[in-house]
Amino acid sequence: MLASLIATGAWLQIASYKGWPVSTTHSIIGALVGFGAIIGGVNAIYWSNVAYIVTSWLISPLLGGIIAYLIFNILLKKILYQKNPVRAATRFSPVLIFAVFTILSLMMLFKGLENLPFHFTFLSSIFISVVVGAIFALIGYILIRRMGLVPPQKELLAYDISVVKGLQKAKRHLLRAQSTSSGDVQDHITGLLDQMNDLTSTLKTPEQLEYLHAEYAGVEKIFSYLQIVTACLMAFSHGANDVANAIGPIAASMTVLSSGAMATEANIPSWILGLGGLGIVIGLATWGWRVIETIGRKITELTPTRGFAAEFGAALTILMASRLGLPISTTHTLVGAVIGVGLARGIEALNLNTTRDIFISWLVTIPSGAFITIIFYYAIKFILG
């Protein structure tokens, strides 16, 4: 276990220094596979369990990306593509606040408070969460009203954004018809395309509209506060998951030392949990900024609205997967959610080089953890004689 912890720490130090958002779960799994293979042989590994965990490479980013993509498209339709986005954000924000705090409450009841002497049923958890969400939605509505956000003097658009999207779709169909036609028909289609180009040049495209709306400080100000809440939600999920990964080997070792035998369950002292939490805080204060920079800046350009969609989408994915019993990685989910938000703006909005490097780092995490563990195990064994 000591070799596994040292190896996992070494790999995570390397990955964090490089800014790679790798999974702590996969790192420690790789380390356990490494020493298990050299102590008990390859057949000693429960490969079906390992395969089940590895499936999170696909499930986590895919689910996170899809849900974040859908959430950001809702924000585009309900707020950013509206004629008056500030007014639309003021009206729609209580709905988002209700959803965020309902999900936060569910995660607390399902995961954070599961060790309390009393337990909540599924229906009571839903009821409590909905009540909490409604209360905070009302509070949020009052606070947003008191922020005194001033909408622009005139509406940015005199038309609905669906007009632009309809013209773009019609233009694509006409281009296909032009390529397969000839003679007078082709000339007539060309004339229609010229007229359509003249018309669309006077209108704002969805991409231009989103850029202009980003200049509305009121919209981004509202979402900057919402993003703080979703960031805390993600931090809670990540901390609850990764502290368990870190102190798991320690708890197993303490059980062996105290009882002299392995046990399927171990009583974990509070000081070990506190030690794991302190380690996460120190890691955040040292190498953490490198990983933050990769996720926040190098995958795609994030604003408070986009960051909110990514974090809320990731949190929602984690909750759903936890209830369904699906193997999932918090890190992979968040990265997938950020990629999903980027794809909602078009694939050109993604930094494909950074995305490629992240995927490669995911693939090599388990074998790297296993290989480094083997090296440290034999080094410790040599030193101890």
Side-chain angles (χ1 to χ4, degrees):
M1 288 300 185
L2 177 61
S4 298
L5 286 173
I6 295 174
T8 302
W11 171 246
L12 291 175
Q13 287 290 323
I14 294 171
S16 299
Y17 179 79
K18 294 290 187 180
W20 299 333
V22 300
S23 170
T24 306
T25 306
H26 291 174
S27 301
I28 193 66
I29 291 298
L32 295 175
V33 167
F35 95 80
I38 60 174
I39 295 300
V42 176
N43 294 329
I45 307 299
Y46 299 123
W47 291 109
S48 59
N49 292 340
V50 175
Y52 183 66
I53 295 171
V54 170
T55 56
S56 66
W57 283 342
L58 178 63
I59 295 174
S60 300
L62 187 60
L63 280 179
I66 291 173
I67 294 177
Y69 178 90
L70 295 175
I71 291 174
F72 187 61
N73 272 287
I74 291 174
L75 297 183
L76 289 176
K77 182 178 180 180
K78 296 293 185 180
I79 298 177
L80 295 177
Y81 286 171
Q82 291 294 315
K83 298 177 182 179
N84 195 319
V86 177
R87 185 178 293 118
T90 303
R91 293 174 177 174
F92 194 62
S93 292
V95 178
L96 297 175
I97 295 172
F98 170 79
V100 168
F101 278 95
T102 299
I103 297 300
L104 175 60
S105 300
L106 283 172
M107 293 193 71
M108 289 291 293
L109 293 173
F110 288 158
K111 296 184 69 175
L113 305 179
E114 58 186 8
N115 293 322
L116 292 179
F118 54 90
H119 298 282
F120 299 99
T121 64
F122 179 77
L123 291 178
S124 63
S125 298
I126 295 290
F127 177 77
I128 293 172
S129 301
V130 169
V131 171
V132 171
I135 292 173
F136 277 97
L138 179 60
I139 295 173
Y141 176 78
I142 296 172
L143 292 177
I144 291 172
R145 288 291 181 181
R146 291 186 176 183
M147 288 172 64
L149 300 175
V150 180
Q153 296 298 318
K154 62 179 182 178
E155 294 180 343
L156 184 62
L157 291 176
Y159 56 90
D160 192 272
I161 192 63
S162 60
V163 174
V164 179
K165 292 185 176 180
L167 288 173
Q168 290 178 336
K169 186 179 295 185
K171 184 178 178 180
R172 288 195 294 268
H173 287 301
L174 286 174
L175 286 172
R176 283 197 293 268
Q178 183 190 42
S179 63
T180 57
S181 60
S182 61
D184 294 338
V185 174
Q186 188 178 59
D187 293 338
H188 186 66
I189 294 175
T190 301
L192 290 175
L193 284 171
D194 291 338
Q195 295 178 28
M196 189 170 292
N197 287 330
D198 293 338
L199 178 60
T200 54
S201 64
T202 63
L203 304 177
K204 301 293 184 183
T205 65
E207 293 76 15
Q208 293 171 329
L209 190 60
E210 184 190 345
Y211 175 77
L212 291 174
H213 283 187
E215 297 179 356
Y216 279 57
V219 176
E220 299 300 336
K221 185 176 182 180
I222 292 174
F223 278 91
S224 65
Y225 291 114
L226 290 175
Q227 193 180 10
I228 292 174
V229 178
T230 54
C232 292
L233 179 57
M234 280 302 303
F236 171 80
S237 303
H238 201 70
N241 186 283
D242 283 358
V243 167
N245 294 329
I247 58 90
I250 299 179
S253 301
M254 294 291 291
T255 301
V256 173
L257 288 174
S258 60
S259 64
M262 290 293 296
T264 56
E265 295 184 1
N267 293 322
I268 304 174
S270 298
W271 68 268
I272 295 182
L273 292 172
L275 186 64
L278 178 63
I280 282 185
V281 174
I282 294 175
L284 175 64
T286 51
W287 295 130
W289 66 271
R290 293 179 180 271
V291 181
I292 292 172
E293 185 178 39
T294 298
I295 297 178
R297 294 183 179 180
K298 294 184 178 180
I299 298 176
T300 188
E301 182 183 358
L302 291 179
T303 61
T305 49
R306 300 169 194 163
F308 168 83
E311 290 172 346
F312 185 45
L316 186 59
T317 303
I318 293 168
L319 177 64
M320 291 173 55
S322 298
R323 293 306 301 169
L324 295 174
L326 298 175
I328 201 165
S329 165
T330 307
T331 305
H332 291 192
T333 303
L334 182 57
V335 171
V338 173
I339 293 174
V341 170
L343 286 175
R345 300 167 52 228
I347 195 170
E348 64 277 0
L350 291 176
N351 185 331
L352 297 180
N353 291 331
T354 299
T355 306
R356 177 204 60 203
D357 293 342
I358 290 173
F359 286 155
I360 292 175
S361 70
W362 290 354
L363 292 174
V364 302
T365 291
I366 286 184
S368 296
F371 179 72
I372 298 173
T373 299
I374 293 172
I375 294 176
F376 277 112
Y377 174 78
Y378 281 115
I380 295 172
K381 188 175 181 180
F382 176 78
I383 293 173
L384 297 180

